[in-house]
Amino acid sequence: MANPLTAEAPDRSAARRPGAIVLARHGEPALSRRVRLSAQQYRDFWASYEVLGIAPGQTPPATLKRIVEKAGALLASTRLRSVESASILAAGRKVAQHDLLVEAPLPPPAWPAWIKLSPMTWGFLARVWWWFFDHHEGQETRAAAEARADEAAALLIEYAEKGEDVLVLAHGFFNFMIGRALRRRGWRLAASEGYKYWSTRRFERL
């Protein structure tokens, strides 16, 4: 019989180790990007993008489905494209929706109407102007979005500290910002599929 005074104690730190945080991007939205737009037209395009859901007939990757099956908590932003994506994956499970997770704004630079670019190009330029030149047109600033991303990171860590993985269905760039906030809080990027639709980035505590 083992001596209770000398027997090896259980690893309590392992039992308390938090789950992983998986940041996933929503499915492809129901809005064609095969157009060329002026700056103002892109503003209208982005406004539509923000309220529309995802294109029908999409099948999430099997790897993402497996992550959902193992996750203890499912979260989504309140934008319809995220809500619909989460609903497809959740298969009836509860999904917590948070305004905290919505995408950062994308106001384009005020260029002349004769300049016509694709939505992808406008999105890149708008993000550069917003990130480096604080071009926000009265919407959320980069500083405010970074504070929100840090608040979101704290929320996700709170879920993960229960010991189960957390899956978030949200947005490409704001997920990137949350990832930066997680790294500042001592989490590492353990796996990444990039930022395409349905892609995931997995964070684990160091």
Side-chain angles (χ1 to χ4, degrees), residues 42-43 46 50 100-111 121-150 171-178 180 184:
Y42 178 73
R43 288 186 184 87
W46 179 253
E50 280 283 75
L100 198 61
L101 301 171
V102 301
E103 183 62 289
L106 269 180
W111 288 357
T121 302
W122 275 122
F124 171 78
L125 292 170
R127 187 60 71 210
V128 168
W129 255 246
W130 180 81
W131 186 264
F132 292 105
F133 305 112
D134 199 30
H135 177 75
H136 55 81
E137 296 184 352
Q139 300 178 59
E140 186 178 41
T141 64
R142 173 184 168 181
E146 286 187 308
R148 178 164 63 89
D150 189 65
H171 309 273
F173 197 81
F174 198 68
N175 277 357
F176 161 76
M177 296 184 72
I178 294 174
R180 281 166 49 96
R184 288 194 295 268

Side-chain angles (χ1 to χ4, degrees), residues 13-201:
S13 63
R16 291 194 300 267
R17 184 169 182 80
I21 295 173
V22 181
L23 305 178
R25 191 181 181 193
H26 55 74
E28 184 173 358
L31 188 64
S32 174
R33 295 190 174 197
R34 297 177 182 177
V35 292
R36 298 183 71 81
L37 307 168
S38 67
Q40 182 55 52
Q41 288 171 331
Y42 178 73
R43 288 186 184 87
D44 297 336
F45 175 93
W46 179 253
S48 296
Y49 184 93
E50 280 283 75
V51 299
L52 290 175
I54 62 173
Q58 296 182 60
T59 302
T63 53
L64 180 52
K65 291 180 180 179
R66 287 194 292 270
I67 292 171
V68 171
E69 290 171 358
K70 295 178 181 178
L74 306 178
L75 287 78
S77 104
T78 53
R79 294 291 186 257
L80 185 58
R81 58 191 186 275
S82 294
V83 172
E84 290 185 350
S85 300
S87 179
I88 290 173
L89 286 161
R93 290 180 59 188
K94 180 180 178 181
V95 179
Q97 297 179 26
H98 292 273
D99 286 331
L100 198 61
L101 301 171
V102 301
E103 183 62 289
L106 269 180
W111 288 357
W114 57 267
I115 298 178
K116 303 273 188 173
L117 303 170
S118 70
M120 183 175 295
T121 302
W122 275 122
F124 171 78
L125 292 170
R127 187 60 71 210
V128 168
W129 255 246
W130 180 81
W131 186 264
F132 292 105
F133 305 112
D134 199 30
H135 177 75
H136 55 81
E137 296 184 352
Q139 300 178 59
E140 186 178 41
T141 64
R142 173 184 168 181
E146 286 187 308
R148 178 164 63 89
D150 189 65
E151 187 179 349
L155 172 69
L156 300 181
I157 291 170
E158 184 178 338
Y159 274 98
E161 283 178 342
K162 297 174 184 177
E164 297 181 304
D165 290 355
V166 181
L167 176 73
V168 180
L169 257 296
H171 309 273
F173 197 81
F174 198 68
N175 277 357
F176 161 76
M177 296 184 72
I178 294 174
R180 281 166 49 96
L182 287 171
R183 286 194 293 269
R184 288 194 295 268
R185 287 173 171 266
W187 291 63
R188 70 180 180 92
L189 180 62
S192 175
E193 296 177 335
Y195 296 95
K196 62 185 181 295
Y197 298 123
W198 299 115
S199 64
T200 62
R201 300 172 77 235

